[in-house]
Amino acid sequence: MKRLLTLLFILGSITLAYATGYNHTETTEATSTTEINKRLAVKGYRGFVNYTPLIATFINDGIAGSVSTTHGYQFNHNYFAGIGVGFHINLGDEGLGVALPVYAAFKGNYGDKLAQLTYGARIGVAYADYGNFNSETSVHNGEAALAYFNANIGLRLGIAQYFAIIITPEIDLFVGRYNIAGAGLRVGFEF
C-alpha cells in the first residue's frame, strides 16, 4: 500500500509539473485573435470508457478487474459531472464475485499542454453476487447491495478537443455485506 501511495504521489507531482502552461493571445493593430488550444476539453457532452485489467484487492486478498462507462456534462476544461455504470469481477476469499456499480462521477483537469493532471471521484451503489466453488460442492454466498467509492489521480493526454487518453492509478472500495478494497491502474478514453 505504501508503494502505491508513493507511486500516486510521484505521478501526480510529475504530471502537475508538466501540465502548467497558458493560452497564447496574439494582438494585431486591426484585430485581436485568440489561438484555440485543441488539447482542452470543451464544454458540453463528454463520455468516458475505462478499463482496469488488474486490481489488487486488500481486504479479501484477491485480484479483480473492471470495465466502466461514464457520461455527463463538461462545464469547462476543469470540471465534469456525470453518471456511469461498471462491471467489476473479483476473485478472493469470498469466492468468485461480480459487482455492478452505478455511480455519480466528478472529474477535473489541470493544465493545457499535451500532458495534464486529471483527478476524480465516484460514489454510488453496487449490486454484488458472490459464490465459493470447489470440486465437491458449490456454495452460493448470496446477493448484496454495497456502497461504492472510487478515487483516482493521474495523467490526461489531450490529443484533441473531443478525444483524450486517460491513465490513472485508482482506489476502489465496496462496503457492505462484502467488503472489498483494491488499487489498480485504469486506462481510458475520453470522447
Side-chain angles (χ1 to χ4, degrees), residues 7-8 10-19 48 50 107-111 113-120 152-159 164-170 185-190:
L7 176 65
L8 286 171
I10 292 170
L11 182 62
S13 299
I14 292 170
T15 304
L16 186 59
Y18 285 104
F48 299 87
N50 300 299
K107 294 178 71 62
N109 302 312
Y110 179 77
K113 303 281 187 194
L114 172 64
Q116 303 164 18
L117 175 69
T118 187
Y119 53 90
N152 64 75
I153 184 169
L155 178 66
R156 176 184 187 269
L157 298 173
I159 308 298
I165 297 172
I166 311 291
I167 303 168
T168 56
E170 66 177 353
L185 183 65
R186 178 193 304 168
V187 177
F189 299 98
E190 173 183 325

Side-chain angles (χ1 to χ4, degrees), residues 4 9 11 71 74 82 90 126 145 164 181 184:
L4 177 65
F9 178 76
L11 182 62
H71 303 270
Q74 187 82 37
N90 181 55

